[in-house]
Amino acid sequence: MVSSKGVRSRGLMLGALSTVAIGLLTTAVATPALAADKPAKPTIVLEHGAFADASSWNAVIEELRADGYPVVAAANPLRGPANDAAALRSVLDHVAGPKILVGHSYGGSVISVAGANDPQVKALVYVAAFLPAPGETALELTNKFPGSTLPGALDPTPFTLPDGTTGTDLYIKPGKFHHQFAADVPAGTAALMAATQRPIAQSALEEKTEAAAWKDKPTWAIITTQDLNIPAAVQRYMAKRAHAYSVEVRASHSVAVSQPKTVAGVIEKAARATR
């Protein structure tokens, strides 16, 4: 026989347990909602330029990832702005959500085309890079002001295309790479960079760009004042024309290798300003 007192005790116990369960359920449901309120950081997409490969961004990637940014360093074919922009767009299509596009050197020409008309590209960062207007070439811009010593450091190498026509690949001579491309990088590191450099087709530097994403997207520019590839005067001219937020750095063309914290800092400024 069960007393009414025992029934009441069990009822009170079940009621208390139900209250605790409901509280736990409420907490479990509320926690993801609070997390969802926090906006995700944009993905940083890095595009290298001529005479380099994606590993040139390694130290910058470490800085960005330490600060919680997802990063993708794309492989640049270095065949021409239209071809290379198509390759980069395939990478952008694979990355969900908002993105910040970063281009070094000739990679600036590529992001200018690839980032156009893409609403998920929220900002552009040019690192010692070309900011061409439609119809301009990298070679034309390089020669706009004096100061580039690149022509004398090049090693032109002919190659044959599948259709039998010939082209010319451009390398920087190993013995001149350190001084020309990465004077503020330790000699051993510069030697590795020279050994792993990827050539650019000469025709890529002579090809006119078709679009300029900087015309309607927030733009940042890192200007390297000791640059022997793209003279600082050329970089300033392009940055001013693009109304870019400019930062001048006493660095060689390889600023992403010699001063990765500075480069990552500018990229993060662009990311924070456009969220």
Side-chain angles (χ1 to χ4, degrees):
M1 181 176 179
V2 180
S3 68
S4 59
K5 184 177 179 180
V7 171
R8 283 198 301 272
S9 296
R10 282 196 294 272
L12 288 171
M13 186 179 295
L14 289 171
L17 289 171
S18 297
T19 302
V20 171
I22 291 169
L24 289 171
L25 180 60
T26 303
T27 302
V29 171
T31 301
L34 289 172
D37 290 338
K38 186 178 180 181
K41 291 184 176 181
T43 299
I44 311 301
V45 180
L46 307 167
E47 180 81 337
H48 68 83
F51 319 116
D53 64 13
S55 69
S56 61
W57 295 111
N58 281 357
V60 174
I61 293 170
E62 289 178 356
E63 296 289 336
L64 293 170
R65 292 184 67 183
D67 290 335
Y69 286 91
V71 186
V72 174
N76 189 345
L78 302 173
R79 300 296 90 184
N83 176 85
D84 301 339
L88 180 56
R89 275 194 293 267
S90 71
V91 175
L92 298 179
D93 290 343
H94 184 67
V95 177
K99 293 168 273 287
I100 307 297
L101 267 186
V102 184
H104 172 243
S105 190
Y106 163 80
S109 297
V110 179
I111 69 170
S112 293
V113 179
N117 303 314
D118 186 340
Q120 289 300 313
V121 173
K122 302 301 182 182
L124 305 163
V125 182
Y126 293 84
V127 181
F130 292 110
L131 290 79
E136 289 181 335
T137 72
L139 183 60
E140 171 189 349
L141 286 167
T142 300
N143 294 330
K144 195 168 189 68
F145 295 94
S148 177
T149 57
L150 180 60
L154 292 175
D155 180 17
T157 304
F159 65 87
T160 303
L161 293 164
D163 63 1
T165 60
T166 59
T168 301
D169 265 341
L170 300 176
Y171 294 84
I172 294 178
K173 297 173 183 176
K176 295 192 174 184
F177 191 96
H178 190 191
H179 174 73
Q180 177 64 42
F181 198 78
D184 54 353
V185 171
T189 302
L192 290 174
M193 293 168 65
T196 59
Q197 68 173 299
R198 295 191 55 217
I200 187 169
Q202 181 175 308
S203 57
L205 302 178
E206 299 167 347
E207 181 182 317
K208 295 179 179 180
T209 52
E210 302 171 348
W214 52 261
K215 285 182 174 287
D216 55 14
K217 293 184 186 292
T219 299
W220 277 256
I222 296 176
I223 297 168
T224 41
T225 62
Q226 306 301 301
D227 202 312
L228 298 180
N229 275 31
I230 307 175
V234 175
Q235 296 181 48
R236 291 188 189 105
Y237 164 77
M238 294 184 291
K240 183 178 180 180
R241 179 178 64 178
H243 304 291
Y245 302 93
S246 299
V247 177
E248 296 208 357
V249 182
R250 184 178 176 81
S252 74
H253 195 60
S254 296
V255 63
V257 179
S258 64
Q259 298 191 41
K261 286 183 181 293
T262 299
V263 173
V266 174
I267 294 170
E268 291 186 20
K269 277 186 180 179
R272 289 192 299 267
T274 53
R275 286 173 68 181

